[in-house]
Amino acid sequence: MEYIGEHLLPGKLGHFFILLGFVSSLLAAIAYFFATNNRNHPSYTSWCKIGRIGFMVHGFSVFSIIAIIFYIMYNQYYEYSYVFAHVSDDLPMRYILSAFWEGQEGSFLLWMFWNVVLGMVLIFTAKSWEAPTLSVMALIQFFIGSMLLGLYIYIGDEPMKIGINPFTLLRDTQEGPIFASANYIETVAPMANGLNVLLQNYWMTIHPPTLFLGFASTAVPFAFAIAGLWTGRHKEWLKPVLTWSLFSGFMLGTGILMGGAWAYEALSFGGYWAWDPVENMSLVPWLVLVAGIHTVAVAKATGQSIRSSYIFLMLSFLLILYSTFLTRSGILGDSSVHAFTELGLEWQLVFFILFFLFLSFGLFFIKMKSIPAPQKEEASSSKEFWMFIGSIVLLFSAILITFSTSIPVYNSIATYFNPDFIKIALPADPVAHYNKYQLWIAILIGLFSGIAQFLRFRESNFKAFFSKIKIQLLLAILGALVLTVIIYTQEWIYLRAWQYIVLTFALLFTIFSNLNYILTFLKGNLKLAGAALAHLGFGVMIIGSLASGLNKSYVSNNRFLGEGILEKPDKNVLLIKDNPTLMNGYRVTYLRDTIVSSYTKEYELQFEKLDKSGEVEQAFSLYPNVLFDKKTGKLAARNPDTKHYWLRDIFTQIYLPEVESDPEIAKAFQDSLEFKIYELAVSDTFRTKEHLTFLEAIDYHPTQNPNYEAKDGDLTIGLKVGVKSLKRDSVYYAYPMAVIRGNRIVRYHSQINPLAVKVKIGDDIFDRLLIPENELSYKEFVLKQGESITYNGYKMTFENFNNAPIHPSYVPKEEDIAVGANIKVDHPRLSESRTVEPVYLIRGNVPFNLKDEIKDWGIHTRFTEINPSKKTITINVAQTPVRQQKVIVELAENSLRSDFVILESIIFPGINFFWLGSCTMLLGMLVSMAHRLK
Amino acid sequence: MKTKIKEFDTIKTIRSKQDDSIFSNFAKKIVTMKKSHIIGIVMILAAIVILTLVAGDMSTYATFKEAALQPDISVKLSGELVKNKEIVYRPEVDANHFSFYVKDSEGTVKKVILRAAKPQDFERSETIILTGKMRGDEFIASDMLMKCPSKYKDEEVFVKARS
């Protein structure tokens, strides 16, 4: 079958580059392998050359694949399933990057992209390390590249899938009668998924590339570790690997932190860290990497800990692979909110991990004997001893986190062997579970990093040295003690258990100690202060997380409801529009909601902080918003808004009433409403079970209905309907209205939210109240200003012109020439007079006139002509009998109120210490790296 | 003969000397054990102790019956939403009260009260994982993770609600 509008060339080209990239990575790996093994042989140079060409071709292929994917995404070629899944016609182009790495295939390519970049840097800078490291890098690329192959291998009858080709056509992946049509693309185009609305923000643009650069960068220390073992240069690899490890630690750390910032700023998680499996498994490789940085520093300075350096740096990369496996295999299934969905690559990923596990540790055990380790032990008073212990503590932390996070893996393995296996549940409260143990890790790290900073490598005369540093250490201990006591007694941080007091002390100790070190030993020379900065930052960061976690409190907590059901406080409060609500020292008012773009609605909430006497101390507004899905109109994402202070944040998000967040529910609800019909004249009343309703007035110029927007030529009628609850006194008004616009009648209902009553106007309202123009017989009069005429006994006096006439069906335009005639009408019997103002109008050289009426006298007037030379005007007058004005009012009770939001508002005290501390820590790594680059 | 005996003696003495040296070396090793080894052993012991403690936090998914037996302990429970029973959330009455019915793995159906706002698309969820306690005949949940079929493909969407 010939399909119309398909673009198959980019796909074929892309697939070619996938294969080329795959083969060339293997070629590069093999060539560099032989180069390494012949490193002292003349053939080294030519092997290297082949390897280089292989890697360049590979790099070119990867860039080409990416470029082609962007090309088909940019041009919205929906015949490709990847485009169909991640792009849609209305996706703004600024999100094309996000759409690219939203899927697994794209994110594998992002990973490969960074590996190519890092590989290129190595080719130009690694010198004698080029061959072995590039051999490893190319081999890693070979494995990741296999994830994109999209091959099926038949072993027996079962096809085995190797990789997913991002250029697969939609019609090859999905079945359906639609593909029987040659023109299917036009049909499927509007059905394209596009980027998940939740991900349509700048975080999705910056977070994945940073995190993946972090992921990719762990491959470089791994490659150096393999290279060191392979070539037996157990000491020489330490220098380059330290710089690379610091870079990797900085990048991966930044990526993780950015994820936390995203979760906190833009998502509705209500925090920056939740010990979710996906978060955990990005943290674990970083912890091990940081342990590795410490042992490498020790090894470089003293020759100790070379073996552990190998182990840590190899493990860090293997854990990245494990983390990839957990997030991409679907194994986390029911335990994580943000894992990828299953693609059927789990066995391939397992093979990926096992291959590199056996390769690296196999090589390590073969070469272990040859790794030098000094006979002399490190002294307990030396820096290297405490750094080593610190690394072990970090490893411990990593093991603990991995142990609990891997529960789904144990379940899968056990179920594989025993299908009846009863699955182990994850810890009921993950935050409490992890914090309980990690608290001790933080205490130990605080203490060690505070002490080790002052110690020296290869300490030989500790006594003499100790007298030098004694005072500084004492100062730090004293400072930490005093501040801990102040924090505890002043409740700056609510330290509710003794463990927290110990932790606070340990953290303050490292803060003071490292600060002291920077000031007294380094004399403020920040170039050398990398390590001290990082440790200082660590202390400040954990203090911040303690403060924000332990002192976290809810503004939106209504103490009087639901008390005592759970130990946790209730966190939501109902906020009715324009109804100031008091909660925990704040008065919060939901002021308004505005539609800011076609799918975004923003809510303005006013917060007023009250002092003890109830006076407003401070006021500010927050603007949380909600996003709706463009296809279904359903609520798709809720974005919080946060008020930042130096010492605390007020994080605020809202939930909407169901009828506001789901059009289906809203429609079903509307349909289920029972409207009862009443025929009323003005001031008639009727009673229902709960309400007393009366027609207060008929309004021919209605302005009160919030849903109505005036347009030129509209003919409107509105009612003012009063409703009073039989139980309470206050009267509420509804303003239903009807409009004739063109040939259609549109009715606007009106909701009285406090009573949950909805009022509509009968659809025959115009037949009841308006008299068709052709039933009128007008009489024409010509008169000057000040003159009067008599019509059916009514005396009509033309009083004056009005150059800025106001008329309900007239919306002024600049080009208009409009003039109104004020005519006073005296009733023949009643001593009452009224004024009418018919309008004469010239718009675009065409004259119009707009009539004015006195409804209850049945008088109709038109201003049809103006004669400037004679200074006269022509008016037409007609009279009709006054009708009995009865109208239909439709009323539904129990119409849910929808003028509210549900508020969740959390105070995070001291959260800025967390951000400040973590940034300082990462900055410390960057400073160390930069210092070593020189 | 004599010489043979002598030979035998020497062998014997050599052997006992060897035994001695093995033994004394071992003893020496314990005494002069490297600090790193001691640290290693301490670490391994600590790891065993802590991992046992950690494992204590883990359990299998409970049923309503089991949860009722230990009303003071928060448990994890996996079950299915009963779609034909009422799902009630009336924020105008209590914004933190959301109730529905869940069938656990044994087929027991109980009313669940989640102390939080109603998550969107709740009606479409299938598997529900709850954290909470039994109180009387109701399960009071503090945390809920629900799994629902996605609107587009076979992929599943997870929604989390916490209180």
Side-chain angles (χ1 to χ4, degrees):
Chain A
M1 172 167 215
E2 280 285 314
Y3 290 102
I4 302 166
E6 284 190 337
H7 307 77
L8 298 182
L9 183 65
K12 284 179 181 154
L13 207 60
H15 198 206
F16 165 74
F17 279 116
I18 288 175
L19 295 173
L20 182 65
F22 182 67
V23 174
S24 56
S25 63
L26 185 64
L27 174 77
I30 292 172
Y32 274 126
F33 174 85
F34 283 112
T36 310
N37 280 352
N38 294 305
R39 56 188 173 280
N40 301 319
H41 192 269
S43 66
Y44 172 77
T45 338
S46 38
W47 280 120
C48 251
K49 205 175 253 171
I50 300 173
R52 242 175 245 179
I53 291 168
F55 198 81
M56 294 289 178
V57 170
H58 169 74
F60 179 74
S61 307
V62 170
F63 292 165
S64 304
I65 299 166
I66 294 172
I68 293 168
I69 293 184
F70 273 119
Y71 176 76
I72 58 173
M73 287 180 110
Y74 182 80
N75 289 302
Q76 298 163 338
Y77 292 160
Y78 296 117
E79 55 271 38
Y80 294 99
S81 69
Y82 198 74
V83 178
F84 183 78
H86 303 289
V87 177
S88 59
D89 282 341
D90 56 357
L91 182 75
M93 274 305 142
R94 64 175 184 279
Y95 292 132
I96 198 94
L97 287 171
S98 308
F100 168 71
W101 47 62
E102 185 194 19
Q104 286 230 35
E105 297 91 323
S107 64
F108 273 129
L109 278 163
L110 181 58
W111 190 4
M112 291 181 82
F113 170 82
W114 286 125
N115 273 341
V116 168
V117 172
L118 294 170
M120 297 288 183
V121 175
L122 283 175
I123 287 181
F124 289 108
T125 61
K127 298 191 181 88
S128 66
W129 294 102
E130 178 192 338
T133 54
L134 257 296
S135 182
V136 177
M137 293 298 280
L139 197 60
I140 293 170
Q141 290 294 78
F142 175 73
F143 274 85
I144 308 177
S146 76
M147 306 287 169
L148 302 174
L149 281 180
L151 288 180
Y152 286 86
I153 293 177
Y154 284 85
I155 303 169
D157 293 334
E158 282 287 303
M160 212 177 90
K161 185 164 70 173
I162 296 186
I164 309 273
N165 177 1
F167 298 103
T168 311
L169 293 176
L170 186 65
R171 58 180 155 91
D172 291 336
T173 52
Q174 298 197 2
E175 280 174 26
I178 205 169
F179 299 108
S181 137
N183 203 9
Y184 76 95
I185 295 174
E186 270 186 27
T187 327
V188 298
M191 288 150 64
N193 289 331
L195 180 66
N196 189 336
V197 219
L198 251 177
L199 303 177
Q200 291 192 16
N201 54 44
Y202 65 93
W203 290 105
M204 184 61 184
T205 312
I206 58 172
H207 174 245
T210 315
L211 188 66
F212 272 95
L213 177 54
F215 276 7
S217 65
T218 58
V220 181
F222 178 80
F224 270 102
I226 300 287
L229 289 169
W230 187 355
T231 58
R233 295 158 75 195
H234 299 302
K235 286 193 169 156
E236 293 85 341
W237 73 292
L238 295 167
K239 191 173 179 287
V241 88
L242 185 55
T243 317
W244 278 105
S245 306
L246 283 164
F247 171 71
S248 185
F250 168 75
M251 260 351 282
L252 188 55
T254 307
I256 297 169
L257 186 69
M258 227 180 233
W262 178 4
Y264 179 69
E265 280 296 319
L267 297 173
S268 49
F269 295 1
Y272 50 87
W273 193 259
W275 293 108
D276 181 277
V278 172
E279 298 168 0
N280 290 353
M281 287 322 290
S282 64
L283 178 67
V284 164
W286 185 81
L287 288 172
V288 176
L289 181 69
V290 171
I293 291 172
H294 286 83
T295 53
V296 170
V298 167
K300 214 171 134 262
T302 69
Q304 306 269 11
S305 303
I306 297 181
R307 283 179 199 177
S308 28
S309 299
Y310 276 125
I311 292 178
F312 285 141
L313 293 183
M314 292 186 321
L315 206 55
S316 164
F317 174 71
L318 293 172
L319 283 164
I320 288 284
L321 296 186
Y322 182 57
S323 153
T324 306
F325 165 73
L326 284 185
T327 48
R328 288 169 187 263
S329 65
I331 201 164
L332 290 178
D334 49 10
S335 55
S336 174
V337 258
H338 42 192
F340 280 94
T341 48
E342 220 160 318
L343 265 192
L345 299 179
E346 22 331 330
W347 289 111
Q348 218 177 328
L349 287 163
V350 170
F351 183 65
F352 190 4
I353 301 173
L354 291 180
F355 179 84
F356 281 96
L357 177 71
F358 286 119
L359 175 82
S360 54
F361 278 84
L363 192 63
F364 177 76
F365 286 117
I366 292 169
K367 299 278 185 167
M368 194 159 74
K369 283 264 155 62
S370 70
I371 302 171
Q375 280 305 303
K376 198 170 161 285
E377 276 235 279
E378 56 267 70
S380 342
S381 55
S382 70
K383 190 172 192 150
E384 58 266 33
F385 178 75
W386 291 104
M387 280 174 78
F388 180 72
I389 302 282
S391 309
I392 297 288
V393 170
L394 284 173
L395 177 69
F396 231 81
S397 163
I399 291 173
L400 284 173
I401 299 172
T402 313
F403 183 76
S404 298
T405 309
S406 301
I407 291 174
V409 180
Y410 314 146
N411 282 337
S412 296
I413 295 172
T415 315
Y416 184 78
F417 291 107
N418 170 17
D420 298 329
F421 177 77
I422 302 165
K423 287 187 175 178
I424 305 169
L426 284 163
D429 185 350
V431 175
H433 170 82
Y434 288 101
N435 284 355
K436 191 158 64 181
Y437 303 106
Q438 297 302 321
L439 181 126
W440 292 103
I441 305 282
I443 290 175
L444 292 178
I445 291 183
L447 294 177
F448 295 162
S449 60
I451 296 170
Q453 201 61 66
F454 280 103
L455 300 176
R456 292 187 298 191
F457 282 123
R458 283 190 275 195
E459 183 58 68
S460 52
N461 187 0
F462 183 63
K463 266 190 189 154
F465 183 64
F466 184 68
S467 62
K468 257 167 73 184
I469 59 164
K470 193 163 57 180
I471 306 276
Q472 312 302 335
L473 273 178
L474 271 175
L475 273 178
I477 293 173
L478 210 67
L481 264 178
V482 170
L483 197 51
T484 308
V485 170
I486 294 175
I487 287 175
Y488 178 68
T489 51
Q490 299 292 309
E491 284 193 14
W492 287 355
I493 303 176
Y494 173 44
L495 303 168
R496 63 171 83 106
W498 64 271
Q499 289 93 332
Y500 291 125
I501 300 177
V502 178
L503 177 58
T504 308
F505 169 77
L507 296 168
L508 290 173
F509 171 63
T510 193
I511 292 172
F512 277 117
S513 160
N514 282 290
L515 208 57
N516 191 344
Y517 180 79
I518 295 172
L519 295 177
T520 55
F521 279 70
L522 299 178
K523 310 260 185 289
N525 183 355
L526 289 180
K527 276 184 214 155
L528 301 172
L533 274 178
H535 294 143
L536 175 73
F538 169 79
V540 175
M541 171 178 91
I542 305 292
I543 286 280
S545 86
L546 261 182
S548 64
L550 293 175
N551 287 31
K552 163 179 157 180
S553 63
Y554 287 96
V555 173
S556 56
N557 170 10
N558 191 335
R559 292 155 198 269
F560 306 109
L561 276 173
E563 184 89 38
I565 294 181
L566 276 182
E567 48 270 36
K568 289 183 181 176
D570 288 336
K571 57 177 193 178
N572 301 317
V573 164
L574 185 85
L575 212 53
I576 294 168
K577 195 171 176 184
D578 299 325
N579 245 353
T581 308
L582 285 171
M583 50 188 99
N584 295 322
Y586 285 85
R587 182 165 60 209
V588 187
T589 317
Y590 160 25
L591 289 181
R592 62 182 68 81
D593 43 308
T594 23
I595 293 162
V596 282
S597 76
S598 42
Y599 304 110
T600 314
K601 208 171 178 186
E602 190 179 79
Y603 290 77
E604 179 175 354
L605 308 178
Q606 189 189 49
F607 282 70
E608 291 165 300
K609 190 168 169 40
L610 306 178
D611 62 16
K612 287 200 178 111
S613 57
E615 294 294 308
V616 177
E617 212 172 72
Q618 198 181 29
F620 57 90
S621 280
L622 286 176
Y623 302 89
N625 67 29
V626 293
L627 303 174
F628 294 94
D629 186 277
K630 55 184 178 287
K631 272 189 212 163
T632 62
K634 277 190 187 183
L635 186 133
R638 300 176 294 115
N639 292 319
D641 192 19
T642 303
K643 172 78 182 169
H644 298 278
Y645 292 97
W646 283 108
L647 289 175
R648 65 177 192 279
D649 275 8
I650 298 175
F651 168 94
T652 296
Q653 61 169 328
I654 51 167
Y655 297 83
L656 297 192
E658 278 193 299
V659 288
E660 291 284 308
S661 52
D662 189 338
E664 274 173 41
I665 293 179
K667 189 173 181 304
F669 184 75
Q670 286 303 335
D671 294 349
S672 75
L673 280 181
E674 268 181 62
F675 280 96
K676 290 193 182 133
I677 296 174
Y678 304 90
E679 191 179 29
L680 304 174
V682 172
S683 77
D684 280 358
T685 61
F686 66 91
R687 216 177 247 270
T688 51
K689 218 171 169 187
E690 290 172 49
H691 303 111
L692 183 77
T693 306
F694 53 93
L695 179 60
E696 171 115 346
I698 296 170
D699 186 355
Y700 291 92
H701 310 153
T703 52
Q704 298 268 30
N705 194 302
N707 301 320
Y708 170 68
E709 271 177 56
K711 259 194 177 175
D712 222 9
D714 278 357
L715 195 55
T716 58
I717 289 182
L719 304 179
K720 183 177 182 187
V721 180
V723 185
K724 180 179 163 306
S725 165
L726 293 180
K727 290 175 209 141
R728 277 170 288 169
D729 272 341
S730 42
V731 177
Y732 297 92
Y733 290 99
Y735 301 92
M737 61 180 288
V739 183
I740 298 181
R741 183 174 285 174
N743 297 323
R744 291 189 311 135
I745 295 182
V746 187
R747 288 187 291 164
Y748 294 90
H749 54 61
S750 174
Q751 167 107 359
I752 301 177
N753 270 312
L755 300 176
V757 164
K758 187 164 273 186
V759 185
K760 279 201 289 195
I761 208 163
D763 56 3
D764 60 351
I765 186 81
F766 291 102
D767 295 341
R768 280 170 178 265
L769 294 184
L770 295 188
I771 298 133
E773 226 25 39
N774 55 22
E775 283 178 19
L776 298 176
S777 52
Y778 281 103
K779 202 172 172 197
E780 196 174 278
F781 298 94
V782 177
L783 66 173
K784 281 184 176 167
Q785 191 165 349
E787 281 182 355
S788 301
I789 50 121
T790 311
Y791 174 79
N792 288 354
Y794 293 86
K795 187 182 171 209
M796 302 186 172
T797 313
F798 168 36
E799 294 197 312
N800 55 327
F801 287 108
N802 179 1
N803 287 329
I806 292 166
H807 190 279
S809 13
Y810 171 56
V811 182
K813 278 191 183 169
E814 235 174 84
E815 54 177 61
D816 287 352
I817 301 164
V819 61
N822 274 324
I823 297 162
K824 193 173 144 225
V825 184
D826 296 318
H827 196 276
R829 288 175 306 277
L830 310 169
S831 56
E832 199 186 333
S833 56
R834 303 270 181 92
T835 305
V836 285
E837 192 190 327
V839 175
Y840 180 77
L841 156 76
I842 297 172
R843 177 175 288 179
N845 294 326
V846 184
F848 294 94
N849 65 75
L850 303 166
K851 78 187 264 185
D852 199 8
E853 285 176 76
I854 302 171
K855 292 272 178 190
D856 45 354
W857 296 351
I859 297 283
H860 305 254
T861 60
R862 282 181 180 278
F863 175 8
T864 53
E865 223 184 301
I866 187 162
N867 189 332
S869 57
K870 288 184 182 169
K871 292 188 177 171
T872 58
I873 61 166
T874 308
I875 58 166
N876 287 4
V877 187
Q879 190 178 22
T880 48
V882 178
R883 293 193 189 185
Q884 173 60 11
Q885 294 181 321
K886 274 204 164 190
V887 298
I888 299 283
V889 171
E890 299 179 23
L891 180 110
E893 294 174 298
N894 284 327
S895 160
L896 280 183
R897 69 184 308 162
S898 58
D899 61 332
F900 64 86
V901 293
I902 296 154
L903 175 78
E904 179 183 349
S905 192
I906 314 174
I907 303 178
F908 287 108
I911 195 162
N912 281 338
F913 286 113
F914 175 82
W915 303 119
L916 177 75
S918 38
C919 291
T920 311
M921 183 172 74
L922 295 172
L923 180 75
M925 288 190 179
L926 202 62
V927 168
S928 289
M929 185 192 86
H931 177 62
R932 277 175 178 82
L933 267 182
K934 279 179 193 162
Chain B
M1 263 314 252
K2 259 194 178 172
T3 48
K4 258 192 183 170
I5 290 168
K6 245 187 188 168
E7 262 177 39
F8 184 75
D9 276 352
T10 43
I11 287 168
K12 216 177 163 184
T13 48
I14 288 167
R15 206 173 261 171
S16 72
K17 257 183 197 164
Q18 266 181 351
D19 285 353
D20 262 9
S21 72
I22 287 170
F23 180 76
S24 64
N25 270 353
F26 186 66
K28 233 188 241 166
K29 255 190 189 164
I30 290 179
V31 176
T32 63
M33 203 160 52
K34 279 189 175 178
K35 243 184 302 215
S36 54
H37 292 169
I38 299 173
I39 293 163
I41 290 169
V42 170
M43 286 289 169
I44 289 166
L45 287 178
I48 291 169
V49 171
I50 293 180
L51 289 184
T52 335
L53 286 175
V54 172
D57 274 9
M58 293 167 195
S59 57
T60 53
Y61 288 109
T63 58
F64 285 120
K65 216 168 154 189
E66 287 160 2
L69 291 176
Q70 39 183 353
D72 298 330
I73 300 165
S74 200
V75 296
K76 278 226 159 183
L77 189 144
S78 162
E80 261 171 61
L81 175 67
V82 181
K83 298 204 174 172
N84 53 15
K85 288 221 176 192
E86 57 178 3
I87 296 168
V88 182
Y89 182 57
R90 302 217 47 176
E92 60 276 25
V93 181
D94 182 353
N96 297 292
H97 188 104
F98 171 43
S99 74
F100 49 94
Y101 287 84
V102 164
K103 189 165 91 178
D104 71 5
S105 55
E106 290 179 338
T108 319
V109 174
K110 289 276 184 236
K111 187 176 183 179
V112 175
I113 293 167
L114 178 71
R115 298 295 305 165
K118 179 182 174 183
Q120 222 200 341
D121 276 343
F122 178 79
E123 282 82 356
R124 299 192 309 129
S125 66
E126 288 166 350
T127 311
I128 292 181
I129 292 161
L130 299 161
T131 308
K133 300 170 182 176
M134 242 8 223
R135 191 195 59 182
D137 209 32
E138 291 167 346
F139 188 84
I140 315 288
S142 58
D143 206 344
M144 176 173 79
L145 185 70
M146 56 188 217
K147 209 176 184 182
C148 36
S150 155
K151 37 201 150 171
Y152 305 122
K153 285 182 274 175
D154 301 332
E155 69 180 61
E156 285 176 322
V157 177
F158 301 99
V159 185
K160 209 168 199 177
R162 283 214 178 94
S163 89

